[in-house]
Amino acid sequence: MSDAKFFAKGKAAELRLELKSDKKDKNYARRKTALKRVVANMTMNNNEMIQLFPDVLDCIKLDSLEIKKMCFLYLINYCRLKPDFANKALPVLLDDLRDRSPLIRALSLRTVSCIPLPAFNEALVDPLSRLLRDPDPYVRKTAAFGVAKLWASDASLVEKSGLIEGVNQLLVDSNPTVVSAGLAALTDITDKSEGMKLAIGYQDASKLVQILGDCNEWSQTYILSALIAYTPQDPAEALLMAERLSPRLQHSNASVVLGTIRVILYLTHYISDDSAIQGLVKRFGPPLVTLLSKPHEIQYVALRNCFLILQQYPQILQNDIKVFFCKYNDPIYIKVTKLEIIFLLASEDNIKEILRELREYASEIDVQFVRKAVRAIGKLAIKIDTAARDCIDTLLDLVATRVSYIVQEATVVIKNIFRKYPNKYESIISVLCKNLDSLDEPEAKAAMVWIIGQYADRIENSDELLDEFLFTFKEETIEVQLALLTATVKLFIQRPAKGQELVLQVLKWSTEETDNPDLRDRGYMYWRLLSSASGNADLTRQVVMSEKPAISVESDKLDVRTLEELSLNIGSLSSIYLKPVSQIFKGTKARHLEQSPALRRSDSNFESPGFYQNYTAANYFSTSGGDLLSD
């Protein structure tokens, strides 16, 4: 029977008959097939399978590892819905915890620790204490994770039973996989505990780095995550630790590479030599570029982390900007992230090459991507003063295509360019005015209205242009209505004769014929301002036409505190969403730089919270723990 046939929807009554004991069923072949169908239907959310709980419990007792795996999976899935039946399986699971086979001991332990029922939690404490010292390393590794799962289910029970001390003892285990599992369990517990934190000393961190080469990818990732708990006390030891970790940057696994980058970035906060820091971060370039040849999902993770790293060290990939140019088969989420990185890496040296590339992107068929490419051109004009003219020329070429969505995006960014460079490049206003018919989106309309109002004295027919927009004033969105109100007042201030009739009409609509409080309040404000200052036109001009706040692309950057926390979570979901980990995972503590004599002065302003109970790894490492952890 092929695997696909297992996923045919089955009836509970039919499967119950197949699960019954039969002397002719040699090696339990029929029951194995029936259980595979049960698990497949359970995967498809066939709730009828819950009726088979008593029959599956009978199968748990059979001496077959394959059958036990499927029965345990069924038990984990339905234990919350049928806790009474689940409790009946507990004696069999506890017996399996003493089985001669380490695979069955580990499988049973994993199953019990995954069932969050009070009876299972209480029954697990004593076996866990014993299995943390099991002669088989696979069982010890499973026991370490079992403690973390039990803590998530009943933290007080774990703390009272002393199981955390047992996990600490695994840190001196002779098997590096067991050491990494113990660290992973302690990290998971302390990250979510209000009263505990993990602290690792230099000697212990050095031993952990030493065993990295003997671990698989999972174990290396666990160790690298735990090394954030090491706080250097001297700049020299921080630099030495970073140098010892740097060979891990050549690893083929993306998680190991990003974990290594995270730890090295963390250590740079404790290194005093700026040239040494620059030398370390320059090594990030080749491995990050290599990750861009991986499948799209890994590329996206690498790109999001590149974006985060470049916020701090844009120079590390300054010469590799071409690797971020979009390919024809890139998914939209990859293209958009590459655009963000291209913008970060843009400089006077490469701006012409970037503009050519963005010009190509603006001719693609994906409307969302084209809009973002056009917007990137406008932001580059604001970022690089000397390139503003080239950016504007590129935008005008795109406007000449008369493609509606391109014209609208160009109008929005040109408004921002006018704010950045007031009284410059006004010659392009006439080009925009010729394309008013292309504007049908609120943001583009509001931007064009702002331009007309701001430069009403330089646009000969500014009153006529505003009158065209006012024809549909009552049907427009509030964003456009507010822009029209302000622009009409500006027209009246700059050209009273042509603006008087329009401003009275708009003020009447805004104060008497609208239900929106924002529009009504602004209308009353302008009306009273114009009435009270009728004898002092200069005062009115000073208020309405006052100098605008400087516009800058720096506002797109993350603030220092958020950037610091995100850099300590590189390679995690936090770095993908660019949000602190506490906002993504409820109950998880924020990471921060620990105070130390080696902490750089610029970073020492960030105080770390205190009042923690320290579970210090240094108290549990010893040279008698095995060759891998000895000096």
Side-chain angles (χ1 to χ4, degrees):
M1 181 182 286
S2 65
D3 290 346
K5 293 183 179 179
F6 292 130
F7 287 87
K9 188 172 182 180
K11 299 291 184 180
E14 173 191 341
L15 291 170
R16 182 177 288 111
L17 290 175
E18 295 183 22
L19 290 172
K20 294 293 183 182
S21 176
D22 186 352
K23 294 181 180 179
K24 296 181 181 180
D25 188 15
K26 294 183 179 180
N27 299 321
Y28 316 116
R30 194 177 73 176
R31 273 182 275 194
K32 287 179 183 177
T33 301
L35 282 169
K36 287 178 182 178
R37 292 183 62 193
V38 170
V39 172
N41 276 267
M42 181 180 71
T43 306
M44 296 187 298
N45 294 323
N46 184 351
N47 293 329
E48 196 174 339
M49 295 299 104
I50 198 172
Q51 300 174 23
L52 300 174
F53 220 124
D55 305 283
V56 173
L57 289 180
D58 291 337
C59 295
I60 289 181
K61 303 172 185 177
L62 299 178
D63 187 18
S64 168
L65 180 60
E66 185 179 1
I67 286 179
K68 284 183 180 293
K69 285 181 179 180
M70 290 186 285
C71 291
F72 290 168
L73 184 60
Y74 180 94
L75 186 61
I76 292 171
N77 193 65
Y78 288 128
C79 64
R80 294 176 183 268
L81 300 175
K82 294 283 188 178
D84 293 337
F85 280 107
N87 288 335
K88 292 179 180 179
L90 184 56
V92 179
L93 289 166
L94 293 178
D95 287 340
D96 285 344
L97 289 174
R98 294 184 177 276
D99 195 275
R100 293 174 58 185
S101 169
L103 288 177
I104 291 181
R105 291 201 303 274
L107 179 61
S108 179
L109 175 58
R110 185 184 297 116
T111 303
V112 177
S113 61
C114 286
I115 298 177
L117 299 177
F120 280 75
N121 292 341
E122 294 171 4
L124 185 59
V125 174
D126 291 336
L128 263 181
S129 300
R130 183 182 75 254
L131 294 173
L132 284 170
R133 303 185 299 274
D134 193 276
D136 189 274
Y138 181 66
V139 178
R140 297 198 299 275
K141 169 192 168 184
T142 306
F145 290 126
V147 173
K149 292 175 183 175
L150 183 58
W151 190 91
S153 181
D154 193 339
S156 61
L157 181 63
V158 173
E159 293 173 10
K160 291 175 184 176
S161 61
L163 287 173
I164 295 180
E165 300 295 325
V167 177
N168 267 295
Q169 295 296 337
L170 296 181
L171 301 182
V172 294
D173 198 278
S174 59
N175 188 294
T177 302
V178 176
V179 174
S180 67
L183 277 172
L186 287 174
T187 302
D188 186 61
I189 290 171
T190 53
D191 278 351
K192 297 175 182 176
S193 170
E194 292 296 331
M196 293 183 291
K197 74 173 181 179
L198 182 67
I200 300 178
Y202 174 70
Q203 294 298 327
D204 310 320
S206 181
K207 292 172 184 176
L208 289 174
V209 174
Q210 182 181 341
I211 66 172
L212 276 173
D214 300 315
C215 299
N216 60 22
E217 288 89 346
W218 284 100
S219 298
Q220 290 187 51
T221 301
Y222 295 147
I223 291 174
L224 290 168
S225 296
L227 282 174
I228 296 293
Y230 158 62
T231 305
Q233 300 300 311
D234 181 80
E237 71 179 43
L239 178 58
L240 178 60
M241 190 65 65
E243 291 285 355
R244 292 181 62 189
L245 281 168
S246 58
R248 296 291 102 197
L249 293 171
Q250 309 306 318
H251 202 281
S252 59
N253 184 274
S255 181
V256 174
V257 172
L258 292 175
T260 304
I261 290 175
R262 177 177 63 243
V263 179
I264 293 178
L265 277 178
Y266 165 70
L267 293 173
T268 58
H269 293 285
Y270 298 90
I271 299 174
S272 57
D273 187 349
D274 289 335
S275 61
I277 293 175
Q278 294 301 321
L280 285 170
V281 297
K282 280 183 179 178
R283 300 178 194 177
F284 296 166
L288 287 173
V289 170
T290 302
L291 291 180
L292 299 183
S293 61
K294 302 278 187 180
H296 289 141
E297 294 79 9
I298 296 179
Q299 279 189 52
Y300 181 66
V301 173
L303 287 168
R304 296 301 289 173
N305 284 278
C306 279
F307 179 75
L308 181 57
I309 295 167
L310 291 171
Q311 297 259 344
Q312 294 178 282
Y313 301 103
Q315 71 276 13
I316 64 174
L317 292 169
Q318 198 77 49
N319 299 325
D320 298 303
I321 192 166
K322 285 188 177 181
V323 302
F324 297 105
F325 287 172
C326 300
K327 300 176 182 177
Y328 74 95
N329 60 342
D330 281 341
I332 183 62
Y333 58 89
I334 295 255
K335 289 182 176 180
V336 170
T337 309
K338 283 184 174 180
L339 265 185
E340 294 174 347
I341 294 176
I342 289 172
F343 174 76
L344 279 179
L345 294 177
S347 65
E348 293 182 9
D349 298 329
N350 56 24
I351 186 63
K352 292 187 180 298
E353 183 178 22
I354 290 175
L355 285 177
R356 284 195 298 271
E357 189 71 12
L358 294 177
R359 179 69 179 81
E360 291 295 323
Y361 298 162
S363 62
E364 293 200 8
I365 60 174
D366 190 314
V367 175
Q368 180 186 357
F369 183 56
V370 171
R371 286 177 178 274
K372 290 187 177 294
V374 174
R375 192 155 293 206
I377 295 172
K379 291 175 68 176
L380 285 172
I382 297 172
K383 178 182 179 181
I384 306 173
D385 296 357
T386 56
R389 182 73 259 178
D390 292 335
C391 294
I392 290 174
D393 290 341
T394 304
L395 288 172
L396 291 178
D397 290 342
L398 293 173
V399 169
T401 63
R402 303 188 70 84
V403 177
S404 174
Y405 53 86
I406 292 180
V407 173
Q408 299 194 82
E409 283 298 325
T411 303
V412 172
V413 297
I414 287 173
K415 169 203 166 183
N416 292 331
I417 293 173
F418 283 151
R419 285 191 58 187
K420 172 70 175 180
Y421 308 105
N423 303 317
K424 287 183 71 176
Y425 310 119
E426 288 91 344
S427 58
I428 66 176
I429 295 176
S430 58
V431 178
L432 296 178
C433 291
K434 293 176 183 177
N435 291 276
L436 292 183
D437 293 340
S438 300
L439 307 181
D440 55 18
E441 295 176 2
E443 188 179 10
K445 283 185 176 182
M448 191 64 216
V449 168
W450 182 91
I451 293 172
I452 295 172
Q454 189 69 20
Y455 296 95
D457 57 337
R458 305 177 198 184
I459 302 175
E460 186 176 350
N461 61 336
S462 55
D463 56 325
E464 297 175 4
L465 296 176
L466 278 180
D467 195 29
E468 288 185 26
F469 283 105
L470 289 173
F471 185 75
T472 56
F473 179 86
K474 296 180 181 180
E475 290 78 36
E476 299 290 355
T477 63
I478 183 61
E479 178 184 5
V480 177
Q481 289 179 338
L482 289 169
L484 281 169
L485 172 59
T486 302
T488 308
V489 173
K490 289 180 178 178
L491 171 66
F492 173 70
I493 291 173
Q494 296 177 81
R495 307 176 74 176
K498 291 193 173 184
Q500 183 174 358
E501 184 178 346
L502 290 179
V503 78
L504 288 173
Q505 186 180 29
V506 173
L507 287 174
K508 185 176 185 299
W509 285 340
S510 301
T511 56
E512 298 178 7
E513 301 181 23
T514 183
D515 294 328
N516 187 281
D518 292 333
L519 180 61
R520 186 170 58 246
D521 289 349
R522 186 179 295 190
Y524 278 124
M525 182 195 73
Y526 281 139
W527 201 316
R528 288 168 184 167
L529 178 64
L530 294 172
S531 301
S532 61
S534 57
N536 192 343
D538 291 338
L539 178 61
T540 307
R541 178 182 291 272
Q542 186 178 352
V543 173
V544 178
M545 303 295 295
S546 60
E547 186 175 345
K548 306 297 181 294
I551 189 171
S552 169
V553 294
E554 296 296 319
S555 59
D556 293 338
K557 289 190 174 181
L558 298 168
D559 65 85
V560 177
R561 284 180 179 272
T562 303
L563 187 59
E564 176 198 300
E565 182 178 348
L566 291 178
S567 68
L568 301 180
N569 289 282
I570 283 177
S572 69
L573 277 177
S574 181
S575 63
I576 303 298
Y577 291 114
L578 296 181
K579 291 183 178 180
V581 67
S582 57
Q583 294 183 19
I584 301 174
F585 299 107
K586 186 178 179 181
T588 302
K589 291 186 301 193
R591 288 182 174 175
H592 54 268
L593 297 175
E594 294 289 345
Q595 292 297 325
S596 163
L599 186 62
R600 290 167 67 91
R601 184 173 298 177
S602 58
D603 299 314
S604 60
N605 295 327
F606 301 109
E607 297 181 1
S608 59
F611 307 108
Y612 284 103
Q613 176 185 353
N614 281 312
Y615 275 85
T616 308
N619 297 333
Y620 299 96
F621 279 95
S622 69
T623 55
S624 61
D627 294 335
L628 288 171
L629 290 174
S630 60
D631 291 325

